[in-house]
Amino acid sequence: MDDFLAARLQMAFSLGFHIVFACIGMVMPFFMTVAHFIWLKTKNPVYRDVTKAWSKGVAIFFATGAVSGTVLSFELGLLWPKFMEHAGPIFGMPFSLEGTAFFIEAIALGFYLYGWGRLKPWFHWATGVVVGISGLLSGILVVAANSWMNSPAGFEFADGQYFNIDPVKAMFNDAWFSQALHMSIAAFASTGFAVAGVHALMILRNKNVQFHHKAFKIAAIFATIAACLQPLSGDISAKDVANRQPAKLAAMEAHFHTEKSAPLIIGGIPDEKNETVKYAIEIPGMLSFMAHGDFKSEVKGLDSIPKADRPPVAVTHYAFQIMVGLGMIMLGIAALYFFALWKKRNWLAQNWMHKVFVFATPAGFIALEAGWTVTEVGRQPWIIHGVMRTADAVTPMPGIAWSFYLFTAVYISLSCIVSLLLYRQITMVGRLYDSSTQS
């Protein structure tokens, strides 16, 4: 394995690990504070127990996300020093603001975890709200930095030098809103379905049904609302990509030839050598409409992009198809759940409904990983779109392959430890619930 590939794989593995725990850390505090709010209003002890159980999960994910995020920060400097040398002064503002949001989140989480019985009830609840808001802001600010890589702004570049730097314009670049919106909703959808699926499984196992039913309902509402909003944010994001990064859109859709009334390709196996797609379903004119709002508009294909500047088509296309396919499945589950709430409330207590959510437990996170694959692989060969190539940013230090093996082993070990902690936390819920009902 050459050092360039090892550096890319290490960054990909680190990001793929971190994004799951970061998203859970962003979203779970909102679940926690909703349960806390209901307890304060109703004094139902079950909601207090749900709040306490979820708060311990928030602490675990906060610690894991903080550690893995710190590693990512170091990796940017160690693996991609040329990138940080030039880009750091331009897009450093969102990273510094993210650090501030992180500190606020850490302080508020400390107040929340140790505030039971020590702080006034509504002030205690407010500290949980601060945890959620600051965590969400942290994610949005990190996405602002990534969106700058896709849509560089806030500087002028000539003769290898960057000047007239404007950090505010860099942070609020053209891709910022669409990426932040899409990512935030994806975090709620993926975490919501995962949490709802875990509690649905406990209901099916007939363990502390009342406790898990309350928790399931909160998570399911968040998940299904987010699943309904996600296609709208995806449409905004896709239109933005069509205007700014036509090569990425072409790779996403395996669209090799520039044409008007371009068809939407569903599935298929891209053949990059012959620039064809086998076994695909085509919907005439739909890609033109989805990209530009007109069934007859022209959509640029990969044939309009120099071969040296084309992203890997197969990986980008398959990842995009996975993301969209799972998004449609989650949307279908959301429609089913809302129909049950509206017309068939007896369905909500049926085992098959809970089995549907158990089946969907990993769907959001698989879609999330696929979406980030589209974002990152679809930008290649650029680390800063149109400005700096990824190959030019990698460190000249040898032996990166060994670093990749070491970090992979560390992340796998950390995943096992976190999974064990979460399993113990879930199994302890029964004792927590039993003790609360007896008090």
Side-chain angles (χ1 to χ4, degrees), residues 319-353:
F320 181 68
Q321 295 291 307
I322 290 170
M323 179 187 70
V324 173
L326 290 174
M328 291 297 101
I329 289 174
M330 288 186 285
L331 178 61
I333 294 172
L336 176 66
Y337 186 74
F338 284 125
F339 179 76
L341 284 173
W342 179 41
K343 287 286 188 181
K344 299 285 185 178
R345 297 191 71 88
N346 62 304
W347 288 3
L348 300 175
Q350 299 295 317
N351 283 347
W352 65 264
M353 177 65 80

PDB file of all heavy atoms in Angstrom, residues 319-353:
ATOM      1  N   ALA A 319     -22.554   4.677  -3.891  1.00  0.00           N
ATOM      2  CA  ALA A 319     -22.818   5.312  -2.604  1.00  0.00           C
ATOM      3  C   ALA A 319     -24.064   6.196  -2.686  1.00  0.00           C
ATOM      4  O   ALA A 319     -24.891   6.219  -1.761  1.00  0.00           O
ATOM      5  CB  ALA A 319     -21.607   6.135  -2.156  1.00  0.00           C
ATOM      6  N   PHE A 320     -24.203   6.909  -3.791  1.00  0.00           N
ATOM      7  CA  PHE A 320     -25.368   7.774  -3.965  1.00  0.00           C
ATOM      8  C   PHE A 320     -26.650   6.954  -4.047  1.00  0.00           C
ATOM      9  O   PHE A 320     -27.674   7.316  -3.448  1.00  0.00           O
ATOM     10  CB  PHE A 320     -25.194   8.615  -5.230  1.00  0.00           C
ATOM     11  CG  PHE A 320     -26.327   9.566  -5.490  1.00  0.00           C
ATOM     12  CD1 PHE A 320     -26.552  10.652  -4.662  1.00  0.00           C
ATOM     13  CD2 PHE A 320     -27.187   9.369  -6.566  1.00  0.00           C
ATOM     14  CE1 PHE A 320     -27.600  11.527  -4.890  1.00  0.00           C
ATOM     15  CE2 PHE A 320     -28.239  10.242  -6.815  1.00  0.00           C
ATOM     16  CZ  PHE A 320     -28.443  11.321  -5.965  1.00  0.00           C
ATOM     17  N   GLN A 321     -26.592   5.837  -4.766  1.00  0.00           N
ATOM     18  CA  GLN A 321     -27.772   4.979  -4.890  1.00  0.00           C
ATOM     19  C   GLN A 321     -28.166   4.389  -3.533  1.00  0.00           C
ATOM     20  O   GLN A 321     -29.352   4.300  -3.205  1.00  0.00           O
ATOM     21  CB  GLN A 321     -27.502   3.857  -5.892  1.00  0.00           C
ATOM     22  CG  GLN A 321     -27.282   4.321  -7.316  1.00  0.00           C
ATOM     23  CD  GLN A 321     -28.541   4.877  -7.954  1.00  0.00           C
ATOM     24  OE1 GLN A 321     -29.576   4.235  -7.969  1.00  0.00           O
ATOM     25  NE2 GLN A 321     -28.461   6.090  -8.483  1.00  0.00           N
ATOM     26  N   ILE A 322     -27.166   4.006  -2.741  1.00  0.00           N
ATOM     27  CA  ILE A 322     -27.444   3.473  -1.399  1.00  0.00           C
ATOM     28  C   ILE A 322     -28.097   4.540  -0.534  1.00  0.00           C
ATOM     29  O   ILE A 322     -29.088   4.286   0.163  1.00  0.00           O
ATOM     30  CB  ILE A 322     -26.148   2.958  -0.749  1.00  0.00           C
ATOM     31  CG1 ILE A 322     -25.667   1.694  -1.471  1.00  0.00           C
ATOM     32  CG2 ILE A 322     -26.357   2.673   0.736  1.00  0.00           C
ATOM     33  CD1 ILE A 322     -24.278   1.244  -1.063  1.00  0.00           C
ATOM     34  N   MET A 323     -27.533   5.754  -0.569  1.00  0.00           N
ATOM     35  CA  MET A 323     -28.071   6.844   0.238  1.00  0.00           C
ATOM     36  C   MET A 323     -29.520   7.140  -0.135  1.00  0.00           C
ATOM     37  O   MET A 323     -30.403   7.220   0.742  1.00  0.00           O
ATOM     38  CB  MET A 323     -27.223   8.098   0.058  1.00  0.00           C
ATOM     39  CG  MET A 323     -27.716   9.306   0.849  1.00  0.00           C
ATOM     40  SD  MET A 323     -26.814  10.831   0.453  1.00  0.00           S
ATOM     41  CE  MET A 323     -27.415  11.143  -1.218  1.00  0.00           C
ATOM     42  N   VAL A 324     -29.787   7.283  -1.408  1.00  0.00           N
ATOM     43  CA  VAL A 324     -31.139   7.611  -1.861  1.00  0.00           C
ATOM     44  C   VAL A 324     -32.105   6.458  -1.582  1.00  0.00           C
ATOM     45  O   VAL A 324     -33.234   6.662  -1.122  1.00  0.00           O
ATOM     46  CB  VAL A 324     -31.138   7.965  -3.356  1.00  0.00           C
ATOM     47  CG1 VAL A 324     -32.562   8.143  -3.870  1.00  0.00           C
ATOM     48  CG2 VAL A 324     -30.343   9.241  -3.596  1.00  0.00           C
ATOM     49  N   GLY A 325     -31.664   5.233  -1.851  1.00  0.00           N
ATOM     50  CA  GLY A 325     -32.521   4.078  -1.630  1.00  0.00           C
ATOM     51  C   GLY A 325     -32.939   3.940  -0.172  1.00  0.00           C
ATOM     52  O   GLY A 325     -34.126   3.742   0.136  1.00  0.00           O
ATOM     53  N   LEU A 326     -31.987   4.075   0.739  1.00  0.00           N
ATOM     54  CA  LEU A 326     -32.306   3.979   2.163  1.00  0.00           C
ATOM     55  C   LEU A 326     -33.137   5.174   2.620  1.00  0.00           C
ATOM     56  O   LEU A 326     -34.010   5.036   3.494  1.00  0.00           O
ATOM     57  CB  LEU A 326     -31.020   3.875   2.982  1.00  0.00           C
ATOM     58  CG  LEU A 326     -30.261   2.556   2.841  1.00  0.00           C
ATOM     59  CD1 LEU A 326     -28.923   2.619   3.581  1.00  0.00           C
ATOM     60  CD2 LEU A 326     -31.091   1.394   3.374  1.00  0.00           C
ATOM     61  N   GLY A 327     -32.870   6.331   2.020  1.00  0.00           N
ATOM     62  CA  GLY A 327     -33.693   7.499   2.340  1.00  0.00           C
ATOM     63  C   GLY A 327     -35.143   7.285   1.962  1.00  0.00           C
ATOM     64  O   GLY A 327     -36.057   7.669   2.711  1.00  0.00           O
ATOM     65  N   MET A 328     -35.377   6.646   0.827  1.00  0.00           N
ATOM     66  CA  MET A 328     -36.753   6.358   0.412  1.00  0.00           C
ATOM     67  C   MET A 328     -37.406   5.319   1.319  1.00  0.00           C
ATOM     68  O   MET A 328     -38.607   5.398   1.613  1.00  0.00           O
ATOM     69  CB  MET A 328     -36.758   5.859  -1.045  1.00  0.00           C
ATOM     70  CG  MET A 328     -36.386   6.925  -2.069  1.00  0.00           C
ATOM     71  SD  MET A 328     -37.562   8.324  -2.101  1.00  0.00           S
ATOM     72  CE  MET A 328     -36.650   9.551  -1.156  1.00  0.00           C
ATOM     73  N   ILE A 329     -36.627   4.354   1.781  1.00  0.00           N
ATOM     74  CA  ILE A 329     -37.175   3.361   2.712  1.00  0.00           C
ATOM     75  C   ILE A 329     -37.593   4.035   4.014  1.00  0.00           C
ATOM     76  O   ILE A 329     -38.684   3.778   4.554  1.00  0.00           O
ATOM     77  CB  ILE A 329     -36.135   2.247   2.980  1.00  0.00           C
ATOM     78  CG1 ILE A 329     -35.965   1.376   1.725  1.00  0.00           C
ATOM     79  CG2 ILE A 329     -36.555   1.391   4.173  1.00  0.00           C
ATOM     80  CD1 ILE A 329     -34.857   0.357   1.840  1.00  0.00           C
ATOM     81  N   MET A 330     -36.739   4.916   4.528  1.00  0.00           N
ATOM     82  CA  MET A 330     -37.074   5.623   5.770  1.00  0.00           C
ATOM     83  C   MET A 330     -38.278   6.548   5.570  1.00  0.00           C
ATOM     84  O   MET A 330     -39.114   6.694   6.462  1.00  0.00           O
ATOM     85  CB  MET A 330     -35.857   6.404   6.274  1.00  0.00           C
ATOM     86  CG  MET A 330     -34.760   5.509   6.831  1.00  0.00           C
ATOM     87  SD  MET A 330     -33.385   6.422   7.587  1.00  0.00           S
ATOM     88  CE  MET A 330     -32.551   7.033   6.108  1.00  0.00           C
ATOM     89  N   LEU A 331     -38.376   7.154   4.404  1.00  0.00           N
ATOM     90  CA  LEU A 331     -39.543   7.985   4.100  1.00  0.00           C
ATOM     91  C   LEU A 331     -40.813   7.136   4.080  1.00  0.00           C
ATOM     92  O   LEU A 331     -41.868   7.561   4.589  1.00  0.00           O
ATOM     93  CB  LEU A 331     -39.351   8.684   2.751  1.00  0.00           C
ATOM     94  CG  LEU A 331     -40.509   9.561   2.266  1.00  0.00           C
ATOM     95  CD1 LEU A 331     -40.780  10.707   3.246  1.00  0.00           C
ATOM     96  CD2 LEU A 331     -40.210  10.112   0.866  1.00  0.00           C
ATOM     97  N   GLY A 332     -40.716   5.935   3.516  1.00  0.00           N
ATOM     98  CA  GLY A 332     -41.868   5.038   3.499  1.00  0.00           C
ATOM     99  C   GLY A 332     -42.293   4.630   4.900  1.00  0.00           C
ATOM    100  O   GLY A 332     -43.488   4.573   5.209  1.00  0.00           O
ATOM    101  N   ILE A 333     -41.314   4.354   5.766  1.00  0.00           N
ATOM    102  CA  ILE A 333     -41.621   4.005   7.155  1.00  0.00           C
ATOM    103  C   ILE A 333     -42.268   5.187   7.858  1.00  0.00           C
ATOM    104  O   ILE A 333     -43.217   5.027   8.639  1.00  0.00           O
ATOM    105  CB  ILE A 333     -40.342   3.553   7.888  1.00  0.00           C
ATOM    106  CG1 ILE A 333     -39.826   2.243   7.286  1.00  0.00           C
ATOM    107  CG2 ILE A 333     -40.607   3.379   9.383  1.00  0.00           C
ATOM    108  CD1 ILE A 333     -38.468   1.818   7.813  1.00  0.00           C
ATOM    109  N   ALA A 334     -41.768   6.381   7.579  1.00  0.00           N
ATOM    110  CA  ALA A 334     -42.346   7.590   8.181  1.00  0.00           C
ATOM    111  C   ALA A 334     -43.802   7.757   7.751  1.00  0.00           C
ATOM    112  O   ALA A 334     -44.673   8.077   8.575  1.00  0.00           O
ATOM    113  CB  ALA A 334     -41.532   8.815   7.785  1.00  0.00           C
ATOM    114  N   ALA A 335     -44.077   7.547   6.465  1.00  0.00           N
ATOM    115  CA  ALA A 335     -45.450   7.672   5.970  1.00  0.00           C
ATOM    116  C   ALA A 335     -46.362   6.646   6.646  1.00  0.00           C
ATOM    117  O   ALA A 335     -47.497   6.957   7.033  1.00  0.00           O
ATOM    118  CB  ALA A 335     -45.468   7.491   4.454  1.00  0.00           C
ATOM    119  N   LEU A 336     -45.845   5.435   6.804  1.00  0.00           N
ATOM    120  CA  LEU A 336     -46.616   4.385   7.479  1.00  0.00           C
ATOM    121  C   LEU A 336     -46.898   4.760   8.934  1.00  0.00           C
ATOM    122  O   LEU A 336     -48.027   4.603   9.427  1.00  0.00           O
ATOM    123  CB  LEU A 336     -45.836   3.072   7.419  1.00  0.00           C
ATOM    124  CG  LEU A 336     -46.453   1.871   8.152  1.00  0.00           C
ATOM    125  CD1 LEU A 336     -47.754   1.456   7.481  1.00  0.00           C
ATOM    126  CD2 LEU A 336     -45.468   0.712   8.184  1.00  0.00           C
ATOM    127  N   TYR A 337     -45.889   5.294   9.626  1.00  0.00           N
ATOM    128  CA  TYR A 337     -46.043   5.648  11.037  1.00  0.00           C
ATOM    129  C   TYR A 337     -47.050   6.784  11.211  1.00  0.00           C
ATOM    130  O   TYR A 337     -47.902   6.734  12.098  1.00  0.00           O
ATOM    131  CB  TYR A 337     -44.680   6.029  11.608  1.00  0.00           C
ATOM    132  CG  TYR A 337     -44.697   6.273  13.105  1.00  0.00           C
ATOM    133  CD1 TYR A 337     -44.798   5.214  14.001  1.00  0.00           C
ATOM    134  CD2 TYR A 337     -44.610   7.559  13.615  1.00  0.00           C
ATOM    135  CE1 TYR A 337     -44.811   5.424  15.365  1.00  0.00           C
ATOM    136  CE2 TYR A 337     -44.625   7.781  14.985  1.00  0.00           C
ATOM    137  CZ  TYR A 337     -44.725   6.709  15.862  1.00  0.00           C
ATOM    138  OH  TYR A 337     -44.742   6.928  17.209  1.00  0.00           O
ATOM    139  N   PHE A 338     -46.959   7.795  10.349  1.00  0.00           N
ATOM    140  CA  PHE A 338     -47.894   8.924  10.463  1.00  0.00           C
ATOM    141  C   PHE A 338     -49.316   8.508  10.098  1.00  0.00           C
ATOM    142  O   PHE A 338     -50.294   9.008  10.676  1.00  0.00           O
ATOM    143  CB  PHE A 338     -47.434  10.095   9.600  1.00  0.00           C
ATOM    144  CG  PHE A 338     -46.280  10.848  10.191  1.00  0.00           C
ATOM    145  CD1 PHE A 338     -45.112  11.049   9.468  1.00  0.00           C
ATOM    146  CD2 PHE A 338     -46.348  11.350  11.484  1.00  0.00           C
ATOM    147  CE1 PHE A 338     -44.050  11.733  10.013  1.00  0.00           C
ATOM    148  CE2 PHE A 338     -45.292  12.043  12.041  1.00  0.00           C
ATOM    149  CZ  PHE A 338     -44.130  12.238  11.310  1.00  0.00           C
ATOM    150  N   PHE A 339     -49.441   7.587   9.147  1.00  0.00           N
ATOM    151  CA  PHE A 339     -50.773   7.072   8.817  1.00  0.00           C
ATOM    152  C   PHE A 339     -51.368   6.334  10.015  1.00  0.00           C
ATOM    153  O   PHE A 339     -52.564   6.455  10.320  1.00  0.00           O
ATOM    154  CB  PHE A 339     -50.706   6.142   7.605  1.00  0.00           C
ATOM    155  CG  PHE A 339     -52.029   5.564   7.214  1.00  0.00           C
ATOM    156  CD1 PHE A 339     -52.972   6.331   6.549  1.00  0.00           C
ATOM    157  CD2 PHE A 339     -52.354   4.250   7.545  1.00  0.00           C
ATOM    158  CE1 PHE A 339     -54.211   5.804   6.194  1.00  0.00           C
ATOM    159  CE2 PHE A 339     -53.580   3.709   7.202  1.00  0.00           C
ATOM    160  CZ  PHE A 339     -54.514   4.494   6.523  1.00  0.00           C
ATOM    161  N   ALA A 340     -50.512   5.584  10.716  1.00  0.00           N
ATOM    162  CA  ALA A 340     -50.969   4.869  11.903  1.00  0.00           C
ATOM    163  C   ALA A 340     -51.398   5.856  12.997  1.00  0.00           C
ATOM    164  O   ALA A 340     -52.421   5.642  13.672  1.00  0.00           O
ATOM    165  CB  ALA A 340     -49.874   3.948  12.420  1.00  0.00           C
ATOM    166  N   LEU A 341     -50.635   6.922  13.169  1.00  0.00           N
ATOM    167  CA  LEU A 341     -51.005   7.932  14.157  1.00  0.00           C
ATOM    168  C   LEU A 341     -52.333   8.595  13.804  1.00  0.00           C
ATOM    169  O   LEU A 341     -53.119   8.949  14.695  1.00  0.00           O
ATOM    170  CB  LEU A 341     -49.904   8.998  14.255  1.00  0.00           C
ATOM    171  CG  LEU A 341     -48.620   8.635  15.005  1.00  0.00           C
ATOM    172  CD1 LEU A 341     -47.599   9.749  14.853  1.00  0.00           C
ATOM    173  CD2 LEU A 341     -48.904   8.378  16.478  1.00  0.00           C
ATOM    174  N   TRP A 342     -52.581   8.745  12.523  1.00  0.00           N
ATOM    175  CA  TRP A 342     -53.755   9.479  12.047  1.00  0.00           C
ATOM    176  C   TRP A 342     -55.010   8.615  11.999  1.00  0.00           C
ATOM    177  O   TRP A 342     -56.073   8.984  12.504  1.00  0.00           O
ATOM    178  CB  TRP A 342     -53.445  10.080  10.674  1.00  0.00           C
ATOM    179  CG  TRP A 342     -54.563  10.852  10.050  1.00  0.00           C
ATOM    180  CD1 TRP A 342     -55.423  11.717  10.675  1.00  0.00           C
ATOM    181  CD2 TRP A 342     -54.953  10.823   8.672  1.00  0.00           C
ATOM    182  NE1 TRP A 342     -56.322  12.239   9.772  1.00  0.00           N
ATOM    183  CE2 TRP A 342     -56.053  11.710   8.535  1.00  0.00           C
ATOM    184  CE3 TRP A 342     -54.469  10.162   7.557  1.00  0.00           C
ATOM    185  CZ2 TRP A 342     -56.679  11.923   7.313  1.00  0.00           C
ATOM    186  CZ3 TRP A 342     -55.086  10.381   6.331  1.00  0.00           C
ATOM    187  CH2 TRP A 342     -56.177  11.260   6.217  1.00  0.00           C
ATOM    188  N   LYS A 343     -54.853   7.414  11.418  1.00  0.00           N
ATOM    189  CA  LYS A 343     -56.032   6.601  11.133  1.00  0.00           C
ATOM    190  C   LYS A 343     -56.059   5.245  11.850  1.00  0.00           C
ATOM    191  O   LYS A 343     -57.133   4.712  12.127  1.00  0.00           O
ATOM    192  CB  LYS A 343     -56.121   6.340   9.619  1.00  0.00           C
ATOM    193  CG  LYS A 343     -56.536   7.555   8.791  1.00  0.00           C
ATOM    194  CD  LYS A 343     -58.024   7.837   8.966  1.00  0.00           C
ATOM    195  CE  LYS A 343     -58.485   8.920   7.993  1.00  0.00           C
ATOM    196  NZ  LYS A 343     -59.926   9.218   8.163  1.00  0.00           N
ATOM    197  N   LYS A 344     -54.909   4.669  12.116  1.00  0.00           N
ATOM    198  CA  LYS A 344     -54.845   3.290  12.622  1.00  0.00           C
ATOM    199  C   LYS A 344     -53.988   3.222  13.877  1.00  0.00           C
ATOM    200  O   LYS A 344     -52.937   2.569  13.899  1.00  0.00           O
ATOM    201  CB  LYS A 344     -54.280   2.357  11.541  1.00  0.00           C
ATOM    202  CG  LYS A 344     -55.087   2.282  10.270  1.00  0.00           C
ATOM    203  CD  LYS A 344     -56.347   1.437  10.467  1.00  0.00           C
ATOM    204  CE  LYS A 344     -57.087   1.252   9.153  1.00  0.00           C
ATOM    205  NZ  LYS A 344     -58.283   0.387   9.331  1.00  0.00           N
ATOM    206  N   ARG A 345     -54.412   3.861  14.940  1.00  0.00           N
ATOM    207  CA  ARG A 345     -53.596   3.930  16.142  1.00  0.00           C
ATOM    208  C   ARG A 345     -53.355   2.559  16.769  1.00  0.00           C
ATOM    209  O   ARG A 345     -52.371   2.370  17.491  1.00  0.00           O
ATOM    210  CB  ARG A 345     -54.237   4.874  17.163  1.00  0.00           C
ATOM    211  CG  ARG A 345     -54.327   6.326  16.677  1.00  0.00           C
ATOM    212  CD  ARG A 345     -54.713   7.265  17.799  1.00  0.00           C
ATOM    213  NE  ARG A 345     -53.636   7.423  18.759  1.00  0.00           N
ATOM    214  CZ  ARG A 345     -52.673   8.323  18.665  1.00  0.00           C
ATOM    215  NH1 ARG A 345     -52.626   9.142  17.613  1.00  0.00           N
ATOM    216  NH2 ARG A 345     -51.752   8.406  19.582  1.00  0.00           N
ATOM    217  N   ASN A 346     -54.218   1.606  16.493  1.00  0.00           N
ATOM    218  CA  ASN A 346     -54.003   0.256  17.025  1.00  0.00           C
ATOM    219  C   ASN A 346     -52.762  -0.396  16.417  1.00  0.00           C
ATOM    220  O   ASN A 346     -52.180  -1.320  17.011  1.00  0.00           O
ATOM    221  CB  ASN A 346     -55.237  -0.623  16.785  1.00  0.00           C
ATOM    222  CG  ASN A 346     -55.551  -0.802  15.309  1.00  0.00           C
ATOM    223  OD1 ASN A 346     -55.734   0.185  14.584  1.00  0.00           O
ATOM    224  ND2 ASN A 346     -55.643  -2.034  14.848  1.00  0.00           N
ATOM    225  N   TRP A 347     -52.347   0.065  15.222  1.00  0.00           N
ATOM    226  CA  TRP A 347     -51.124  -0.466  14.608  1.00  0.00           C
ATOM    227  C   TRP A 347     -49.889  -0.182  15.462  1.00  0.00           C
ATOM    228  O   TRP A 347     -48.922  -0.934  15.422  1.00  0.00           O
ATOM    229  CB  TRP A 347     -50.920   0.143  13.226  1.00  0.00           C
ATOM    230  CG  TRP A 347     -51.870  -0.342  12.180  1.00  0.00           C
ATOM    231  CD1 TRP A 347     -52.922  -1.211  12.340  1.00  0.00           C
ATOM    232  CD2 TRP A 347     -51.863   0.012  10.795  1.00  0.00           C
ATOM    233  NE1 TRP A 347     -53.573  -1.406  11.153  1.00  0.00           N
ATOM    234  CE2 TRP A 347     -52.944  -0.672  10.176  1.00  0.00           C
ATOM    235  CE3 TRP A 347     -51.059   0.836  10.022  1.00  0.00           C
ATOM    236  CZ2 TRP A 347     -53.226  -0.550   8.822  1.00  0.00           C
ATOM    237  CZ3 TRP A 347     -51.342   0.963   8.660  1.00  0.00           C
ATOM    238  CH2 TRP A 347     -52.412   0.274   8.071  1.00  0.00           C
ATOM    239  N   LEU A 348     -49.928   0.924  16.204  1.00  0.00           N
ATOM    240  CA  LEU A 348     -48.751   1.349  16.953  1.00  0.00           C
ATOM    241  C   LEU A 348     -48.343   0.340  18.019  1.00  0.00           C
ATOM    242  O   LEU A 348     -47.175   0.296  18.421  1.00  0.00           O
ATOM    243  CB  LEU A 348     -49.000   2.716  17.602  1.00  0.00           C
ATOM    244  CG  LEU A 348     -49.318   3.863  16.641  1.00  0.00           C
ATOM    245  CD1 LEU A 348     -49.667   5.126  17.414  1.00  0.00           C
ATOM    246  CD2 LEU A 348     -48.147   4.118  15.701  1.00  0.00           C
ATOM    247  N   ALA A 349     -49.286  -0.460  18.484  1.00  0.00           N
ATOM    248  CA  ALA A 349     -48.984  -1.450  19.516  1.00  0.00           C
ATOM    249  C   ALA A 349     -48.706  -2.836  18.924  1.00  0.00           C
ATOM    250  O   ALA A 349     -48.417  -3.777  19.667  1.00  0.00           O
ATOM    251  CB  ALA A 349     -50.151  -1.548  20.504  1.00  0.00           C
ATOM    252  N   GLN A 350     -48.762  -2.946  17.604  1.00  0.00           N
ATOM    253  CA  GLN A 350     -48.567  -4.243  16.960  1.00  0.00           C
ATOM    254  C   GLN A 350     -47.073  -4.582  16.852  1.00  0.00           C
ATOM    255  O   GLN A 350     -46.233  -3.713  16.624  1.00  0.00           O
ATOM    256  CB  GLN A 350     -49.187  -4.237  15.561  1.00  0.00           C
ATOM    257  CG  GLN A 350     -50.690  -3.985  15.551  1.00  0.00           C
ATOM    258  CD  GLN A 350     -51.458  -5.099  16.238  1.00  0.00           C
ATOM    259  OE1 GLN A 350     -51.180  -6.278  16.051  1.00  0.00           O
ATOM    260  NE2 GLN A 350     -52.434  -4.721  17.050  1.00  0.00           N
ATOM    261  N   ASN A 351     -46.767  -5.869  16.989  1.00  0.00           N
ATOM    262  CA  ASN A 351     -45.365  -6.300  16.891  1.00  0.00           C
ATOM    263  C   ASN A 351     -44.756  -5.990  15.537  1.00  0.00           C
ATOM    264  O   ASN A 351     -43.571  -5.661  15.429  1.00  0.00           O
ATOM    265  CB  ASN A 351     -45.266  -7.802  17.178  1.00  0.00           C
ATOM    266  CG  ASN A 351     -45.362  -8.116  18.661  1.00  0.00           C
ATOM    267  OD1 ASN A 351     -45.269  -7.215  19.493  1.00  0.00           O
ATOM    268  ND2 ASN A 351     -45.540  -9.389  18.989  1.00  0.00           N
ATOM    269  N   TRP A 352     -45.560  -6.094  14.473  1.00  0.00           N
ATOM    270  CA  TRP A 352     -44.991  -5.869  13.138  1.00  0.00           C
ATOM    271  C   TRP A 352     -44.491  -4.439  12.967  1.00  0.00           C
ATOM    272  O   TRP A 352     -43.500  -4.201  12.270  1.00  0.00           O
ATOM    273  CB  TRP A 352     -45.991  -6.236  12.042  1.00  0.00           C
ATOM    274  CG  TRP A 352     -47.229  -5.391  11.988  1.00  0.00           C
ATOM    275  CD1 TRP A 352     -48.438  -5.659  12.547  1.00  0.00           C
ATOM    276  CD2 TRP A 352     -47.379  -4.124  11.327  1.00  0.00           C
ATOM    277  NE1 TRP A 352     -49.334  -4.653  12.283  1.00  0.00           N
ATOM    278  CE2 TRP A 352     -48.723  -3.701  11.530  1.00  0.00           C
ATOM    279  CE3 TRP A 352     -46.523  -3.313  10.577  1.00  0.00           C
ATOM    280  CZ2 TRP A 352     -49.203  -2.493  11.019  1.00  0.00           C
ATOM    281  CZ3 TRP A 352     -47.000  -2.114  10.066  1.00  0.00           C
ATOM    282  CH2 TRP A 352     -48.327  -1.711  10.283  1.00  0.00           C
ATOM    283  N   MET A 353     -45.171  -3.480  13.624  1.00  0.00           N
ATOM    284  CA  MET A 353     -44.718  -2.095  13.540  1.00  0.00           C
ATOM    285  C   MET A 353     -43.359  -1.931  14.216  1.00  0.00           C
ATOM    286  O   MET A 353     -42.459  -1.271  13.690  1.00  0.00           O
ATOM    287  CB  MET A 353     -45.745  -1.164  14.185  1.00  0.00           C
ATOM    288  CG  MET A 353     -45.329   0.310  14.213  1.00  0.00           C
ATOM    289  SD  MET A 353     -45.192   1.067  12.559  1.00  0.00           S
ATOM    290  CE  MET A 353     -46.932   1.398  12.211  1.00  0.00           C
TER     291      MET A 353
END
